[in-house]
Amino acid sequence: MRKLIGTFALLLSIAVVGISNPAAASAPNQTSTRHCIGNLDTGRITCASDQQQARQLSDVGAAALTIAIFYDNTGYNTAAGTFTWTQSRQCTGTYDSEWQWDDLSSIGWNNRVSSVHTYNQCDVKFFGLVNFGGASSTWIDQAPNLGTIGDGWSNRAGSVKFS
């Protein structure tokens, strides 16, 4: 059975670097930290002022693979922020939702993704609402402007599946 991650378990295990208020730990402070890494194996989220620092502070080991990066701007522009997703193995080409995140608002990325790039044989499928509700995109490998995908997916995703 493929590893599926539910919000409840992930919210219990999220640890956000740089936030002193425990009540704020469910959504990283995107004002002071703009680049985050989510480890889909552990559910830990780490944020910092740049991508390199976030990776250094995270629990992502050398064997971890980047499977996708979400960008807050079109054209893979990192100026407004990124969210990098990692896991321990490559995806398969079967589109069977090997990993998922059912509430992007829990990490401060609801209706925020404007471009996406995937790696290690992975694709993403966005859903308009949390818990994979509402309309869904096609499986996306990379898109410098999500506004050109289907009915337009820029700043529209509420949840995501990875395969």
Side-chain angles (χ1 to χ4, degrees):
M1 180 175 189
R2 299 280 181 200
K3 181 179 181 179
L4 297 178
I5 299 174
T7 297
F8 180 73
L10 290 172
L11 288 176
L12 291 176
S13 64
I14 289 176
V16 180
V17 173
I19 295 178
S20 59
N21 178 0
S26 64
N29 180 351
Q30 292 298 316
T31 303
S32 62
T33 56
R34 298 201 266 178
H35 302 279
C36 298
I37 292 184
N39 183 332
L40 288 167
D41 293 324
T42 65
R44 184 169 186 227
I45 307 298
T46 306
C47 297
S49 60
D50 62 55
Q51 288 174 310
Q52 183 179 2
Q53 183 183 30
R55 186 170 282 278
Q56 289 171 346
L57 295 172
S58 74
D59 66 344
V60 174
L65 300 173
T66 295
I67 62 162
I69 300 177
F70 293 174
Y71 298 84
D72 198 5
N73 282 331
T74 60
Y76 311 122
N77 184 326
T78 63
T82 61
F83 197 100
T84 302
W85 297 95
T86 65
Q87 64 192 31
S88 59
R89 63 184 168 84
Q90 294 187 95
C91 295
T92 64
T94 59
Y95 298 120
D96 59 359
S97 183
E98 296 165 67
W99 286 270
Q100 60 189 22
W101 197 275
D102 62 3
D103 186 358
L104 291 175
S105 66
S106 70
I107 58 170
W109 276 80
N110 189 53
N111 299 326
R112 187 170 168 196
V113 184
S114 296
S115 56
V116 62
H117 195 288
T118 63
Y119 304 87
N120 293 296
Q121 300 181 38
C122 295
D123 291 328
V124 298
K125 185 173 193 170
F126 293 114
F127 295 81
L129 302 173
V130 299
N131 297 315
F132 318 108
S136 64
S137 71
T138 59
W139 285 99
I140 302 167
D141 178 35
Q142 58 184 338
N145 183 352
L146 286 169
T148 64
I149 303 293
D151 294 331
W153 278 91
S154 187
N155 300 318
R156 187 174 162 196
S159 52
V160 63
K161 292 186 178 188
F162 302 90
S163 180

